[in-house]
Amino acid sequence: MLSERPRGGKPATATPGTQENPMGRFIAFLYGLASYAVFFATFLYAIGFVSGLGVPKTIDTGTVVPMAQACIANLLLMSVFAVQHSVMARKPFKQWWTQFVPASVERSTYVLFSSLALVLLFWQWRPMPALVWQVADPHIAMAVTGLSFAGWLIVLTSTFLINHFELFGLHQVASNLAGRAMPAPRFRTPLYYRFVRHPLYLGFIIAFWAAPTMTAGRLLFAAVTTAYIVVGILLEERDLVALFGDDYRRYKNRVSMLVPWRKSA
Ligand SMILES: C[S@@+](CC[C@H](N)C(=O)[O-])C[C@H]1O[C@@H](n2cnc3c(N)ncnc32)[C@H](O)[C@@H]1O
């Protein structure tokens, strides 16, 4: 879903686009912090939006319009996010726009635009309240909600296992501020990554599908985002093989993609 991080080649090199001017570096750092704050608020809102808890506008609230109209509007909103999130993550796009945006804040800007695309989706989402399923037993319903929150927790903890601060651009602006080089990307397989290659995406899938009440709107959201995740994995793995070579190829042979069972050794 979130895709490529800036790579900058195998050896650690000076942060590309490092500003010489200390004030410029400081402003870049503040911008990175602000983008991160917007991301974090959006992430928290997303939990409420999908679960229907604790936020004013959820996936199942708002003005009800005819089903086809709602479906088209929602597909458009998800497409805006998908196009922004995928296109801005591709190397040719990065090469083009880092002519205008300093490379040190490229990731923060990507994170900011992704968050804004999500805010637009939350704001403009049209509810589709038709009931697909509903868990009648309150204890089971609570357990399903708990499973959904476990999915969100897996998402957040996976970002820390990979590199939370680099993924959301803070590492880049902090290194730029300190005039330090960004370290070369490292292949990691900690904790969940021993069981599945994409725990973060698995967390999203669990969070979206574990619904005690599944409406047509949430079903549309879960189905489209799951399809987007699967396509995203194919693109991400192409980059990971290019970056980590045989290490990643062997990992692919050993560990399954999303379903946590061990492949035969
Ligand atoms: C949003 S994270 C998602 C990581 C992974 N796909 C997941 O679902 O847990 C995407 C970034 O993680 C990086 N990445 C994915 N797997 C990795 C691994 N095993 N070691 C290091 N970086 C990885 C990718 O290069 C990409 O920049």
Side-chain angles (χ1 to χ4, degrees), residues 207-224:
F208 296 161
W209 286 94
T213 301
M214 181 61 96
T215 57
R218 183 160 176 180
L219 183 66
L220 179 75
F221 182 81
V224 172

Side-chain angles (χ1 to χ4, degrees), residues 1-7 85 94 107 154-155 158-159 161-163 166-168 185-190 192-193 196-204 229 232-233 236-237 239-240 243-244 248 251 257-258:
M1 215 159 185
L2 293 170
S3 193
E4 289 175 47
R5 285 174 292 163
R7 292 298 181 195
H85 207 65
K94 285 184 192 177
R107 187 68 188 179
I154 292 170
V155 170
S158 298
T159 65
L161 293 175
I162 282 288
N163 188 342
E166 188 181 336
L167 216 45
F168 298 105
R186 274 198 307 124
F187 175 52
R188 297 179 168 90
T189 59
Y192 314 140
Y193 286 83
V196 286
R197 303 198 296 275
H198 301 283
L200 191 152
Y201 299 150
L202 175 63
F204 275 126
I229 283 171
I233 287 176
E236 186 175 308
E237 292 209 323
D239 293 340
L240 286 164
L243 189 64
F244 299 122
Y248 202 82
Y251 180 55
M257 188 168 90
L258 281 171

